[in-house]
Coordinates of all heavy atoms in Angstrom, one line a residue:
A433 N 3.1 -11.7 -15.0 CA 3.8 -10.6 -15.7 C 3.9 -10.9 -17.2 O 3.7 -10.0 -18.0 CB 5.2 -10.5 -15.1
E434 N 4.2 -12.2 -17.5 CA 4.3 -12.5 -18.9 C 2.9 -12.4 -19.6 O 2.8 -11.9 -20.8 CB 4.7 -14.0 -19.0 CG 5.0 -14.5 -20.5 CD 5.5 -15.9 -20.5 OE1 5.9 -16.4 -19.5 OE2 5.5 -16.4 -21.7
A435 N 1.8 -12.8 -19.0 CA 0.5 -12.7 -19.5 C 0.1 -11.2 -19.7 O -0.6 -10.9 -20.7 CB -0.5 -13.3 -18.6
A436 N 0.7 -10.3 -18.9 CA 0.4 -8.9 -19.1 C 1.3 -8.2 -19.9 O 1.2 -6.9 -20.2 CB 0.4 -8.2 -17.7
G437 N 2.3 -8.9 -20.5 CA 3.3 -8.3 -21.4 C 4.3 -7.4 -20.7 O 4.8 -6.5 -21.2
R438 N 4.5 -7.8 -19.4 CA 5.5 -6.9 -18.6 C 6.8 -7.6 -18.5 O 6.9 -8.8 -18.7 CB 4.9 -6.8 -17.2 CG 3.6 -5.9 -17.1 CD 3.2 -5.7 -15.7 NE 4.2 -4.9 -15.0 CZ 4.3 -3.6 -15.0 NH1 3.4 -2.9 -15.7 NH2 5.3 -3.0 -14.3
P439 N 7.8 -6.8 -18.2 CA 9.2 -7.5 -18.0 C 9.2 -8.4 -16.8 O 8.3 -8.4 -16.0 CB 10.1 -6.3 -17.7 CG 9.3 -5.1 -18.2 CD 7.9 -5.4 -18.0
A440 N 10.2 -9.2 -16.8 CA 10.4 -10.2 -15.7 C 10.5 -9.4 -14.3 O 11.2 -8.4 -14.2 CB 11.7 -11.0 -15.8
P441 N 9.7 -9.8 -13.4 CA 9.5 -9.0 -12.2 C 10.7 -9.2 -11.2 O 11.4 -10.2 -11.2 CB 8.2 -9.6 -11.5 CG 8.1 -10.9 -12.0 CD 8.8 -10.9 -13.4
R442 N 10.9 -8.2 -10.3 CA 11.9 -8.3 -9.3 C 11.3 -9.1 -8.1 O 10.1 -9.1 -7.9 CB 12.3 -7.0 -8.7 CG 13.2 -6.2 -9.7 CD 13.4 -4.8 -9.2 NE 14.0 -4.7 -7.9 CZ 14.3 -3.6 -7.2 NH1 13.9 -2.4 -7.8 NH2 14.8 -3.5 -6.1
I443 N 12.1 -9.9 -7.5 CA 11.7 -10.6 -6.3 C 12.7 -10.3 -5.2 O 13.9 -10.8 -5.2 CB 11.6 -12.2 -6.6 CG1 10.7 -12.5 -7.6 CG2 11.3 -12.9 -5.3 CD1 10.6 -14.0 -7.9
I444 N 12.3 -9.5 -4.3 CA 13.2 -9.0 -3.2 C 12.9 -9.8 -2.0 O 11.7 -9.9 -1.5 CB 12.9 -7.5 -2.9 CG1 13.1 -6.7 -4.2 CG2 13.9 -7.0 -1.9 CD1 12.6 -5.3 -4.1
A445 N 13.9 -10.4 -1.4 CA 13.7 -11.2 -0.2 C 14.4 -10.6 1.0 O 15.5 -10.0 0.8 CB 14.2 -12.6 -0.4
T446 N 13.8 -10.7 2.2 CA 14.3 -10.2 3.4 C 14.3 -11.3 4.5 O 13.3 -11.9 4.7 CB 13.6 -9.0 3.9 OG1 13.5 -8.0 2.9 CG2 14.1 -8.4 5.2
L447 N 15.5 -11.5 5.0 CA 15.7 -12.5 6.1 C 16.7 -12.1 7.1 O 17.7 -11.3 6.7 CB 15.9 -13.9 5.6 CG 14.8 -14.7 4.8 CD1 15.4 -15.9 4.2 CD2 13.7 -15.0 5.8
P448 N 16.7 -12.5 8.4 CA 17.8 -12.1 9.3 C 19.1 -12.9 8.8 O 19.0 -14.1 8.4 CB 17.2 -12.7 10.6 CG 15.8 -12.8 10.5 CD 15.5 -13.2 9.0
V449 N 20.2 -12.3 9.1 CA 21.5 -12.8 8.7 C 22.4 -12.6 9.8 O 22.5 -11.5 10.4 CB 22.1 -12.2 7.4 CG1 23.4 -12.9 7.0 CG2 21.1 -12.3 6.3
C450 N 23.2 -13.7 10.2 CA 24.2 -13.6 11.2 C 25.3 -14.6 10.9 O 25.1 -15.8 10.9 CB 23.7 -13.8 12.6 SG 24.9 -13.6 13.9
V451 N 26.5 -14.2 10.7 CA 27.7 -15.0 10.5 C 28.3 -15.2 11.9 O 28.8 -14.2 12.5 CB 28.7 -14.5 9.5 CG1 30.0 -15.3 9.5 CG2 28.1 -14.3 8.2
T452 N 28.3 -16.4 12.5 CA 28.6 -16.6 13.9 C 29.0 -18.1 14.1 O 28.7 -18.9 13.3 CB 27.4 -16.2 14.7 OG1 27.8 -16.5 16.1 CG2 26.2 -17.2 14.4
E453 N 29.7 -18.3 15.2 CA 30.0 -19.6 15.7 C 28.9 -20.1 16.7 O 28.8 -21.2 17.0 CB 31.4 -19.7 16.4 CG 32.5 -19.3 15.5 CD 32.6 -20.1 14.2 OE1 32.3 -21.4 14.3 OE2 32.9 -19.6 13.1
E454 N 28.2 -19.1 17.2 CA 27.1 -19.4 18.2 C 25.8 -19.6 17.5 O 24.7 -18.9 17.7 CB 27.0 -18.2 19.2 CG 28.3 -17.9 19.9 CD 28.7 -19.0 20.8 OE1 27.8 -19.8 21.3 OE2 30.0 -19.2 21.0
V455 N 25.7 -20.6 16.6 CA 24.5 -20.8 15.8 C 23.3 -21.1 16.5 O 22.2 -20.5 16.4 CB 24.8 -22.0 14.7 CG1 23.6 -22.2 13.9 CG2 26.0 -21.6 13.8
D456 N 23.3 -22.0 17.5 CA 22.1 -22.5 18.2 C 21.6 -21.3 19.1 O 20.4 -21.1 19.2 CB 22.5 -23.7 19.1 CG 22.7 -24.9 18.2 OD1 22.2 -24.9 17.1 OD2 23.3 -25.9 18.8
A457 N 22.5 -20.5 19.7 CA 22.1 -19.4 20.5 C 21.4 -18.4 19.7 O 20.4 -17.8 20.1 CB 23.3 -18.9 21.3
I458 N 22.0 -18.0 18.6 CA 21.4 -16.9 17.8 C 20.2 -17.3 17.1 O 19.1 -16.6 17.1 CB 22.4 -16.4 16.7 CG1 23.7 -15.9 17.3 CG2 21.8 -15.4 15.8 CD1 23.5 -14.7 18.2
R459 N 20.1 -18.6 16.7 CA 18.8 -19.1 16.1 C 17.7 -19.1 17.1 O 16.6 -18.8 16.9 CB 19.0 -20.5 15.5 CG 18.0 -20.9 14.5 CD 18.3 -22.2 13.8 NE 19.5 -22.1 12.9 CZ 19.6 -21.6 11.7 NH1 18.4 -21.0 11.2 NH2 20.7 -21.6 11.0
G460 N 18.1 -19.5 18.3 CA 17.1 -19.6 19.4 C 16.6 -18.2 19.8 O 15.4 -18.0 20.1
L461 N 17.6 -17.1 19.7 CA 17.1 -15.8 20.0 C 16.2 -15.3 18.9 O 15.2 -14.6 19.3 CB 18.3 -14.9 20.1 CG 18.1 -13.5 20.6 CD1 17.6 -13.5 22.0 CD2 19.5 -12.8 20.5
V462 N 16.4 -15.6 17.7 CA 15.4 -15.2 16.6 C 14.1 -15.9 16.9 O 13.0 -15.2 16.8 CB 16.0 -15.7 15.2 CG1 14.9 -15.5 14.1 CG2 17.2 -14.9 14.8
T463 N 14.1 -17.1 17.2 CA 12.8 -17.8 17.5 C 12.1 -17.2 18.6 O 10.9 -16.9 18.6 CB 13.1 -19.3 17.8 OG1 13.7 -19.9 16.6 CG2 11.8 -20.0 18.2
K464 N 12.8 -16.8 19.7 CA 12.2 -16.2 20.9 C 11.6 -14.8 20.6 O 10.5 -14.5 21.0 CB 13.2 -16.1 22.0 CG 12.7 -15.5 23.3 CD 13.8 -15.4 24.3 CE 13.3 -14.7 25.6 NZ 14.4 -14.6 26.6
L465 N 12.4 -14.0 19.9 CA 12.0 -12.6 19.7 C 11.0 -12.5 18.6 O 10.2 -11.5 18.6 CB 13.2 -11.8 19.4 CG 14.2 -11.7 20.6 CD1 15.4 -10.8 20.1 CD2 13.6 -11.1 21.8
L466 N 11.0 -13.3 17.6 CA 10.2 -13.1 16.4 C 9.1 -14.1 16.2 O 8.6 -14.2 15.1 CB 11.1 -13.0 15.2 CG 12.2 -11.9 15.3 CD1 13.1 -12.0 14.1 CD2 11.6 -10.6 15.4
S467 N 8.9 -15.0 17.2 CA 7.9 -16.1 17.0 C 6.5 -15.6 16.7 O 5.7 -16.3 16.1 CB 7.9 -17.0 18.2 OG 7.5 -16.2 19.4
S468 N 6.2 -14.4 17.0 CA 4.8 -13.9 16.8 C 4.5 -13.8 15.3 O 3.3 -13.8 15.0 CB 4.6 -12.5 17.4 OG 5.6 -11.5 16.8

Side-chain angles (χ1 to χ4, degrees):
E434 184 176 349
R438 295 185 61 86
R442 287 171 62 181
I443 299 176
I444 304 167
T446 301
L447 288 169
V449 182
C450 183
V451 177
T452 182
E453 301 301 323
E454 304 295 330
V455 176
D456 292 340
I458 299 298
R459 198 175 295 281
L461 190 58
V462 171
T463 298
K464 178 181 178 180
L465 296 178
L466 303 176
S467 61
S468 60

